Amino acid sequence: MQPIRNVYPMSAFNILIDAYCTAVNSSAPLEGRQFVMDYARTQYGLTPADAEMLWEYFTHPQEILHRGGKDSKNQTVDEVLQNCIKLRDKFAKVVSKKNQQEFEHYKLILDIRINYLDYKKIEIFYESPAYDRSHDTRLMNELKSILAEAEALDKRFVAINKGYLKENQSEYINGIRTEKMKALYQWLMKNQ
């Protein structure tokens, strides 16, 4: 049985555990923005400007893409992708002074999202009435690039989650994430 939605392991979310513990130990509601600002300063040694960037990262919309290639806010996959790329470009400039490996999870999560959206653009076109076999070579070349990027992401995922996940669990998660990409690529190759 495959999960409907793949989620990143908890190895990246110590901040959620700490936020939960803070909320449980307080009679006042947790102020999310202030918590992230404080966490960014104490856990990562970020400047106030970089802490703001971390808040932007956490509050960036993560809408599900529907079959028609749009999210629930009616943005196309291209728009969602471009927004993620802009966020990545800004977020890449943020460097943690402490707990670098934990912080690197955030960058990896965003890179995985962008890789997924790159693939979704192809899948959506492939399933559209505009697709015909004359597009196969172009789609295969694009998929080849996406799969190469996915392979690099797989290696980062395995390295950063080493010691957290069970043996071979990283490979399993990576396999699920790239399964549809590889299947579409194989299908297009067969039809050449």
Side-chain angles (χ1 to χ4, degrees):
M1 187 181 301
Q2 298 290 342
I4 293 172
R5 181 172 174 250
N6 294 321
V7 294
Y8 200 90
M10 281 301 293
S11 55
F13 300 108
N14 288 335
I15 191 170
L16 292 179
I17 296 167
D18 285 357
Y20 174 77
C21 291
T22 300
V24 167
N25 290 312
S26 174
S27 58
L30 181 73
E31 294 291 334
R33 185 179 179 288
Q34 188 57 52
F35 178 84
V36 169
M37 295 297 145
D38 294 342
Y39 194 90
R41 183 179 41 78
T42 59
Q43 292 299 112
Y44 303 128
L46 298 185
T47 65
D50 286 346
E52 287 287 345
M53 189 64 243
L54 184 61
W55 177 250
E56 183 179 337
Y57 173 90
F58 282 128
T59 57
H60 185 80
Q62 291 275 333
E63 304 294 324
I64 295 173
L65 289 171
H66 301 287
R67 191 166 273 288
K70 293 188 176 185
D71 68 11
S72 58
K73 293 182 179 174
N74 213 29
Q75 285 190 314
T76 66
V77 66
D78 285 324
E79 292 169 319
V80 174
L81 175 59
Q82 290 312 309
N83 288 335
C84 284
I85 290 170
K86 286 177 191 170
L87 178 64
R88 179 181 62 189
D89 292 347
K90 291 192 293 186
F91 197 65
K93 296 172 187 166
V94 177
V95 179
S96 64
K97 293 176 182 67
K98 300 190 284 185
N99 298 313
Q100 289 91 357
Q101 182 169 342
E102 181 182 330
F103 194 79
E104 280 303 309
H105 282 286
Y106 305 141
K107 293 182 179 184
L108 178 58
I109 291 167
L110 190 52
D111 288 340
I112 288 171
R113 174 78 171 158
I114 290 168
N115 183 253
Y116 165 78
L117 292 169
D118 280 334
Y119 165 72
K120 286 304 280 184
K121 276 178 52 177
I122 293 171
E123 181 187 67
I124 288 164
F125 177 76
Y126 176 75
E127 293 175 350
S128 77
Y131 166 78
D132 63 44
R133 288 196 163 173
S134 69
H135 298 102
D136 285 359
T137 302
R138 177 181 60 84
L139 295 180
M140 281 176 34
N141 289 334
E142 290 175 17
L143 272 170
K144 216 182 267 189
S145 174
I146 291 166
L147 285 166
E149 176 65 24
E151 190 173 319
L153 294 171
D154 289 352
K155 289 176 184 170
R156 284 173 60 195
F157 184 85
V158 169
I160 204 166
N161 283 292
K162 188 175 182 121
Y164 182 81
L165 297 174
K166 294 178 185 174
E167 187 177 338
N168 299 324
Q169 195 174 10
S170 289
E171 291 81 1
Y172 174 75
I173 292 168
N174 286 335
I176 290 172
R177 186 172 49 77
T178 59
E179 184 177 37
K180 286 178 73 178
M181 296 175 188
K182 291 175 182 175
L184 180 55
Y185 183 78
Q186 292 300 321
W187 177 258
L188 292 168
M189 275 187 51
K190 261 191 234 179
N191 289 323
Q192 286 288 307

